Amino acid sequence: MEPARTLALVAATLTTGLLAGLLFAYACSVMPGLRRTGDRTLVEVMQHINRAIMNGWFLAVLLGSALTTSLAVLLQLPGDASPALLPAVAALVLLLAAIGVTGAVNVPLNNALEAAGPPGRITDPAAVRAQFERPWVRANLVRTVLCTASLGCLGWALAVH
């Protein structure tokens, strides 16, 4: 049982770390870089990014982080009270909250941005940008903090395991 517990915690830490890193990259480089561009450019680039990110690697990390963290929690339950259970549960709650923000805020904003149509045909790209950028950046910051906190809890779980 111990090797399975360890492997699940390591896998959860790795996948959650990759997800936290991706979200952090948006927070500290992608969106600040796009903030300095024109309205039509921001819309066009984010439309391309939103299409490109829907790939097997991203989905494996997003879904994999939830699955491996859930597995890590479940494997801490049998037998004696594992000292890794509390931080693993906290990690799962934080991770699911981050994924919830993604589904409730970022994805609908991405969909609305796509629905605006081809950037060259948008009559008011400033309005499209205004409806998208600020709420998306704020939600991304929230999910970055949640995911990073989840990663910290998984590190804690590994340390006490």
Side-chain angles (χ1 to χ4, degrees):
M1 182 61 98
E2 284 311 304
R5 285 179 172 178
T6 302
L7 184 60
L9 282 170
V10 168
T13 303
L14 289 174
T15 53
T16 301
L18 287 169
L19 185 58
L22 174 70
L23 299 175
F24 179 72
Y26 274 93
C28 71
S29 64
V30 174
M31 297 314 288
L34 287 175
R35 183 175 44 230
R36 295 175 175 91
T37 67
D39 300 330
R40 202 172 304 278
T41 300
L42 179 132
V43 170
E44 181 176 14
V45 169
M46 284 305 298
Q47 284 180 342
H48 287 297
I49 288 172
N50 291 336
R51 288 181 209 126
I53 201 164
M54 296 309 296
N55 63 64
W57 291 107
F58 172 71
L59 293 175
V61 168
L62 179 67
L63 299 176
S65 63
L67 291 173
T68 56
T69 304
S70 296
L71 180 61
V73 168
L74 290 174
L75 291 174
Q76 298 305 316
L77 293 174
D80 60 343
S82 168
L85 179 60
L86 177 62
V89 168
L92 181 59
V93 169
L94 290 162
L95 178 64
L96 292 177
I99 292 171
V101 170
T102 300
V105 182
N106 295 91
V107 170
L109 288 169
N110 291 344
N111 292 341
L113 192 67
E114 184 65 30
R121 295 186 181 156
I122 297 172
T123 56
D124 189 359
V128 172
R129 179 184 190 154
Q131 290 177 345
F132 172 82
E133 185 178 22
R134 184 172 295 206
W136 196 97
V137 168
R138 285 182 180 162
N140 186 64
L141 181 58
V142 169
R143 65 188 184 160
T144 301
V145 169
L146 289 168
C147 200
T148 303
S150 176
L151 178 61
C153 288
L154 286 166
W156 173 20
L158 270 172
V160 298
H161 173 69

